[in-house]
Amino acid sequence: MSIGSLYSVGRSTPGPARPLPHARAAVPLGLRLLAAALCGLFALTLTAAVFVRTYPGQWLDGVLLPRAERGGGYEQQTVLVGPAKTVLATFGSPTLIAALLGVVLLVGVLRRRLVAGVVGVGMVVCAVLVAGAVKSQLPRPDLGIESSTTHNSFPSGHVAAATALLLAFMLVLPGWARRWLAVPGAAGVAVIASATMIAGWHRFSDVLGGVLLGVTVFCLAAAALAAWPGDRAAAGGADGGSLWRRLAEAGVGLVVLVWALVVVVPGLAASVQRGLLVAIVATAAATMFLVGAVVFLVRSTDFAVPLSARSPEPSPSTEARKIS
C-alpha cells in the first residue's frame, strides 16, 4: 500500500519568489554623484599620467600644438591670437570673477538656496587652488621630445575656474534654467579653453584636465548637498508639457549646433593649423559632453538645503494620518 503524496509525481517544486520590478530601490543621487566624481578623478589622473608622463602623450600634445618657429613659444600663428588674449584678459579680471561669484550668491539668496550658493563659490576657489597645487607639484619629465619642455602646466587653472563657475550656477538655478544655460555656458568654457591654446598658455591636455577638474569638484559638492538632511528632489515623471518643452529645447540646440558646424568651423579651419583645429573641436566636444552629463544627472534635484539641521516640515497628509 503506497502512501499518497500531497504533490503529484513529476511536478516540480515551486522556486523562490522573485521580487517585483518596482520593489528594487533606486540608487540615491548622492551615491551616483559620488561615483561620477570618482570617475572624473580617475579620468583626470589618467590624463595626467598619459599626457605628462609618457612619450606618446607628450608627442601628441606637441603635434596638436607645435612650438612656434620663432621664439620657441607655443603661441600659434593665427589671426585669432589677438582675440584670444582679449578673452583671457577679460575672464582673468578679478573684478569680473568677483562679480560672477556675487551673482551666484545673489541667485542663491533670492531662491532661498544660500547654502548651495556658498558651496558654489567654494567650488570655484577649490578648483583654482587644486589646479595651482597640481601644477606646482606634478613633475614633467624630459623624454627627449623636440617640441616639448619640462615646464608643467597641467591642469589649466583658467579652464578649471570657468568650468566650476558654470557648474556653480547649476546649484542655484531651477531645472529649466540649467538646461538653457548648459549649452551657451559650455560653449563659453570651450572658448576660454581654446583661447589658452591659441595664446600658447596651455596644451590640449591642460585644458582637458581643467574641465575634468571642474566637473569632479562639482560632483563632490553636489553629492554633499544631495546627502544633506532636508534636501529634496523633484518628481521624476514628465508630463506632456514638459515633453514638448524639452523637444523645443532640443530643437533649438540642434539649430545652434548646425549653425556652428556651417559657420564657425569653416572659419576656424581657414585661420588655424590643422592640429590646433583638432584640439579646439575635441575640447569643445569634451566640454559639451561632460557638462551635459552632469546637468542631466542633477536634473531632478533642487538643492533646497535648510540652514539648520531640523527635519523638513511634515506634509498635510502626514498630519492628517497622525490625527486619525
Side-chain angles (χ1 to χ4, degrees), residues 262-283:
V262 173
V263 178
V264 178
V265 173
L268 284 175
S271 59
V272 300
Q273 298 178 355
R274 181 175 300 178
L276 177 59
L277 177 63
V278 172
I280 291 175
V281 173
T283 298

Side-chain angles (χ1 to χ4, degrees), residues 20-258:
L20 296 177
H22 65 271
R24 185 183 302 172
V27 179
L29 177 63
L31 292 180
R32 284 181 286 165
L33 286 168
L34 184 58
L38 293 177
C39 291
L41 182 60
F42 174 76
L44 179 64
T45 305
L46 183 63
T47 303
V50 171
F51 283 92
V52 179
R53 307 288 299 178
T54 67
Y55 185 95
Q58 290 191 9
W59 174 83
L60 181 58
D61 264 340
V63 170
L64 295 177
L65 294 172
R67 300 183 69 178
E69 296 180 359
R70 296 182 180 179
Y74 285 91
E75 181 179 297
Q76 301 299 298
Q77 303 299 317
T78 172
V79 296
L80 298 178
V81 172
K85 291 183 177 180
T86 302
V87 169
L88 295 176
T90 302
F91 181 74
S93 171
T95 303
L96 178 61
I97 297 296
L100 292 174
L101 293 178
V103 172
V104 172
L105 285 176
L106 179 61
V107 175
V109 171
L110 293 178
R111 296 200 65 248
R112 298 180 180 179
R113 307 292 186 266
L114 179 58
V115 174
V118 173
V119 170
V121 173
M123 278 172 43
V124 180
V125 176
C126 180
V128 173
L129 294 179
V130 171
V134 173
K135 280 192 290 188
S136 62
Q137 298 298 325
L138 183 64
R140 184 180 180 88
D142 185 3
L143 301 179
I145 301 176
E146 183 178 356
S147 60
S148 181
T149 65
T150 58
H151 171 69
N152 178 52
S153 55
F154 180 93
S156 170
H158 277 73
V159 179
T163 306
L165 182 59
L166 169 62
L167 296 178
F169 279 99
M170 302 301 168
L171 296 178
V172 295
L173 289 175
W176 63 268
R178 295 175 194 165
R179 294 193 297 271
W180 282 104
L181 180 62
V183 173
V189 174
V191 168
I192 294 173
S194 301
T196 61
M197 293 187 291
I198 293 172
W201 288 17
H202 287 286
R203 307 173 179 91
F204 167 72
S205 59
D206 300 340
V207 299
L208 180 59
V211 176
L212 288 171
L213 176 58
V215 169
T216 302
V217 172
F218 168 77
C219 290
L220 289 174
L225 289 175
W228 195 294
D231 181 44
R232 63 176 183 270
D239 55 8
S242 175
L243 177 61
W244 284 108
R245 184 174 65 250
R246 293 183 181 182
L247 289 176
E249 293 172 354
V252 173
L254 182 61
V255 170
V256 173
L257 178 61
V258 172

